[in-house]
Amino acid sequence: AQAYFAYDSRKSGGVTRSFLRFGKSPIHSTYYIQHADFISCSLDTYLFKYDVLKDLKKGGTFLLNTDMDDEALDKMLPNRVKYLLATKEAKFYVIDAITLAREIGLKNRTNTILQSAFFKLNEQIMPYAQAQELMKKYAYKSYAKKGDAIVEMNYKAIDRGAESLKEFKVDPAWANLE
């Protein structure tokens, strides 16, 4: 695996773009990914500020963290986003990681939930059952000193991240939008 990051100038509350590569042999790429199999957006407001989908390749997968229901999301999505989803024949999934995190007791900490969703949607990297086991092993190692309750919250986040994904059907007619 290789991770390559782009940060904006703000230290806290700024935007981070993470470029992750996975492969069977060592990876020595030092450039941004321009034809991504998978793109995730952690805040739905970014869809209005940034061209989030420009680097998604045809047939790729897009995951959006949002608390909107299907009807609201369909109304809210900018036409340029709908157009790109349709013309790229993307698979589109949504998750409400913020509500899940609060229900579990993690406040606004969505990273573990979104990581689990990532591995569920990208089983070509490794089978989800294996990823789930490894995530739980790491959660235990990271949080055991903080107590069983913290470990259990992270286990729930891992389980709920995979279980809570919803596919949002991309309308092929969106390819005709201006």
Side-chain angles (χ1 to χ4, degrees), residues 17 20-21 47 55 80 97 99 127 130 136 146 174-175:
R17 294 181 64 200
L20 307 174
R21 292 178 170 90
L47 296 177
D55 294 326
R80 66 179 165 72
T99 298
Q130 181 184 4
K136 286 184 177 182
K146 294 186 178 195
W174 291 350

Side-chain angles (χ1 to χ4, degrees), residues 40-61:
S40 177
C41 181
S42 59
L43 294 173
D44 53 23
T45 56
Y46 289 167
L47 296 177
F48 296 98
K49 297 177 183 180
Y50 307 105
D51 190 1
V52 173
L53 294 173
K54 72 177 178 160
D55 294 326
L56 184 67
K57 76 181 197 181
K58 192 169 189 166
T61 300

Side-chain angles (χ1 to χ4, degrees), residues 45-128:
T45 56
Y46 289 167
L47 296 177
F48 296 98
K49 297 177 183 180
Y50 307 105
D51 190 1
V52 173
L53 294 173
K54 72 177 178 160
D55 294 326
L56 184 67
K57 76 181 197 181
K58 192 169 189 166
T61 300
F62 177 55
L63 172 62
L64 178 64
N65 179 32
T66 184
D67 64 354
M68 287 185 247
D69 63 26
D70 288 356
E71 185 178 330
L73 185 58
D74 189 38
K75 288 179 183 174
M76 182 280 300
L77 282 175
N79 279 357
R80 66 179 165 72
V81 171
K82 290 179 177 179
Y83 173 82
L84 287 171
L85 287 168
T87 58
K88 292 177 183 255
E89 299 173 11
K91 295 177 277 311
F92 181 21
Y93 292 87
V94 296
I95 190 167
D96 184 357
I98 293 172
T99 298
L100 287 172
R102 289 178 184 155
E103 288 172 1
I104 292 166
L106 293 173
K107 299 181 181 175
N108 292 335
R109 294 182 193 99
T110 60
N111 287 357
T112 303
I113 293 165
L114 293 171
Q115 179 185 37
S116 180
F118 167 83
F119 280 109
K120 183 67 176 175
L121 292 172
N122 290 282
E123 291 200 66
Q124 69 276 17
I125 295 169
M126 77 172 62
Y128 180 73

